[in-house]
Amino acid sequence: QVQLVESGGGSVQAGGSLRLSCAASGRIFSPNVMGWYRQAPGKQRELVASMGSDGKTDYLDSVKGRFTISRDNAKNTVYLQMNSLRPENTAVYYCNARRTSWPVFDYWGQGTQVTVSS
């Protein structure tokens, strides 16, 4: 049974920083893509940042220059360093790991709350 275990969420004032971590537990083939999504109350889940196994990254426009995604392929772990946080970054952040070739999978973490106060 594969699980994505997230950590690092919490409450911070605007301008502060947080670092999210997500580690895959259990036996897992290397994901093609690992990333972070978020969902704020009343809004749809959206991609924040993702990184392919080749190191290619993709960011939500509003977080470019402030958030940095990184991953440790050997440990199937992904990180999200969030700097200069804003109140509008408040959301539940979800880790995702997916693989598009055999064996195909799409795993989600349980979510971690990030609250940014003004």
Side-chain angles (χ1 to χ4, degrees), residues 22-78:
C22 171
S25 65
R27 294 178 64 85
I28 182 173
F29 283 78
S30 179
N32 295 120
V33 181
M34 297 189 77
W36 293 92
Y37 290 71
R38 70 186 181 191
Q39 188 165 19
K43 295 187 177 181
Q44 289 189 331
R45 189 174 296 189
E46 62 181 354
L47 174 68
V48 177
S50 65
M51 178 177 272
S53 54
D54 58 359
K56 182 179 178 182
T57 59
D58 188 21
Y59 290 94
L60 182 68
D61 283 346
S62 63
V63 308
K64 288 180 180 178
R66 299 186 298 119
F67 291 12
T68 303
I69 190 170
S70 59
R71 63 186 278 184
D72 183 334
N73 290 332
K75 297 180 179 179
N76 290 320
T77 300
V78 64

Side-chain angles (χ1 to χ4, degrees), residues 10-16 18 85-91 114-118:
S11 297
V12 66
Q13 288 191 328
L18 286 172
L85 282 161
R86 304 168 180 169
E88 56 263 37
N89 300 138
T90 295
V114 170
T115 302
V116 184
S117 58
S118 58

